[in-house]
Amino acid sequence: MPRLPFHRRHLAAVATLLPALLAPTFVRAQAVGAEPATIETTRSFEVRGGYTGGRFSHSTDDFHSSISLFGGSGSSRTGFPVEHRYDGLMLGGDYVLAQHRPDRPSITTLRVGLDVLGAADRLRIGDGRRATVALLAAHPHFSFELQRHKWQTRVGVGMLVGRVGYYGQDQGFDLLATNTVVDTVNVVPTFSLEMNWNHWVQYEAGYGANGLLGLANPTYYGGLGTGFGPRSPLALVVGVSSAASLAYNQAVSSFAYSRLTLAPAGRPWQASAFATFGSAQYQRVALQVGYKLPQKGAPGAPR
């Protein structure tokens, strides 16, 4: 049998020294494993202001027979068309809380804000009458944003409360007829969904257009666009929107719109513009500018 290079006394020495040699490594590994993961938290406040204006129309009360027990067409009365031309302003702000863990490629952002909107609505009724109505509403809102890898998704909800605008609805009138009533809107829920892939592909959909564009005549909207790449400060979205009470002889109508956003990287400000086209009966334009106040960052608590 070949002779082993180590004697028993050598093995005993190695067994004695091995724990002492591995102890520092074990202590360091234990310290690294016990270190809690930190969460980087950034708090900021954003202020903004904007202008919105446009025109649309609806009708005064329409009464017509929907059921006739005697086989006739029943009585009918066509309502007068009412044209609206309005100009309004918006002021608001958001509290923004962003959290990021260095060991995970994701950023979550929470926004809580309040907008105040006011407008002068100038009415011209088909029988020659004219009037000016003041619109005033508040828009508390909340949104959650998740950015992971190259994907960015934001969901927002809110509520327009006040004298928001106008709408038409059909109300029952005994068993023989219906009555179309045009009235003011006092509460309008708002919803928005935005998705972005690497600032190349952008999608948006919602109702009320996040408050600013919902004043006077809230609308549904959906659009698709591009941001021209991750280094571009521009983003363009083109879509279709539908609103109620656009024309006195139509219940709902659709129109095209475009939205342009300018947000230079590293700058505290951004701007956006909105305009409709393709409809002579419905026109809307809006401009908005936002500014982010200096940030205050603080490391979060251990998980």
Side-chain angles (χ1 to χ4, degrees):
M1 176 179 291
R3 187 177 179 182
L4 294 175
F6 293 104
H7 297 286
R8 291 183 179 179
R9 63 176 181 271
H10 295 150
L11 294 176
V14 172
T16 303
L17 294 176
L18 188 59
L21 295 174
L22 296 179
T25 304
F26 178 76
V27 171
R28 287 196 299 268
Q30 197 174 35
V32 172
E35 183 179 354
T38 59
I39 300 177
E40 297 178 354
T41 302
T42 302
R43 298 175 177 86
S44 61
F45 189 77
E46 298 180 6
V47 295
R48 60 182 169 274
Y51 161 82
T52 181
R55 58 176 294 181
F56 68 100
S57 63
H58 71 332
S59 70
T60 58
D61 294 359
D62 278 346
F63 171 79
H64 65 277
S65 295
S66 58
I67 300 176
S68 176
L69 299 180
F70 304 98
S73 60
S75 61
S76 64
R77 177 171 59 86
T78 302
F80 292 108
V82 181
E83 296 182 0
H84 297 262
R85 294 178 180 268
Y86 63 94
D87 296 279
L89 297 176
M90 183 274 288
L91 294 174
D94 283 351
Y95 172 75
V96 184
L97 177 66
Q99 290 188 336
H100 169 62
R101 277 186 52 174
D103 59 333
R104 294 183 179 180
S106 63
I107 300 175
T108 58
T109 304
L110 176 67
R111 293 174 177 267
V112 179
L114 176 66
D115 299 327
V116 178
L117 307 97
D121 189 2
R122 298 175 295 279
L123 286 69
R124 186 175 65 180
I125 305 175
D127 59 359
R129 290 176 295 169
R130 295 176 181 268
T132 299
V133 179
L135 303 177
L136 182 63
H139 181 232
H141 56 269
F142 163 87
S143 69
F144 176 79
E145 181 179 305
L146 175 62
Q147 182 176 352
R148 185 173 179 83
H149 299 292
K150 296 182 179 181
W151 283 98
Q152 185 175 1
T153 304
R154 189 183 73 87
V155 179
V157 294
M159 190 73 68
L160 272 167
V161 182
R163 191 165 190 172
V164 180
Y166 299 85
Y167 72 105
Q169 67 175 358
D170 290 334
Q171 294 182 346
F173 187 76
D174 60 47
L175 298 177
L176 303 179
T178 59
N179 194 15
T180 302
V181 179
V182 178
D183 203 352
T184 57
V185 174
N186 294 319
V187 178
V188 172
T190 62
F191 169 76
S192 63
L193 170 65
E194 299 177 7
M195 300 184 69
N196 184 314
W197 181 79
N198 201 29
H199 205 56
W200 275 110
V201 179
Q202 297 193 181
Y203 170 77
E204 67 177 23
Y207 176 72
N210 251 358
L212 175 62
L213 304 177
L215 193 66
N217 194 241
T219 61
Y220 294 94
Y221 65 95
L224 185 66
T226 179
F228 306 101
R231 296 184 179 182
S232 172
L234 292 174
L236 175 65
V237 175
V238 178
V240 178
S241 185
S242 297
S245 301
L246 297 186
Y248 70 93
N249 58 352
Q250 297 179 3
V252 178
S253 181
S254 298
F255 54 90
Y257 77 90
S258 63
R259 186 194 307 275
L260 179 67
T261 303
L262 176 62
R267 300 288 184 176
W269 62 271
Q270 64 177 6
S272 64
F274 177 96
T276 63
F277 54 92
S279 174
Q281 297 174 334
Y282 190 94
Q283 299 175 2
R284 186 189 291 273
V285 63
L287 300 172
Q288 181 174 309
V289 178
Y291 184 82
K292 179 183 293 185
L293 300 179
Q295 300 180 2
K296 295 182 180 180
R303 185 182 63 174

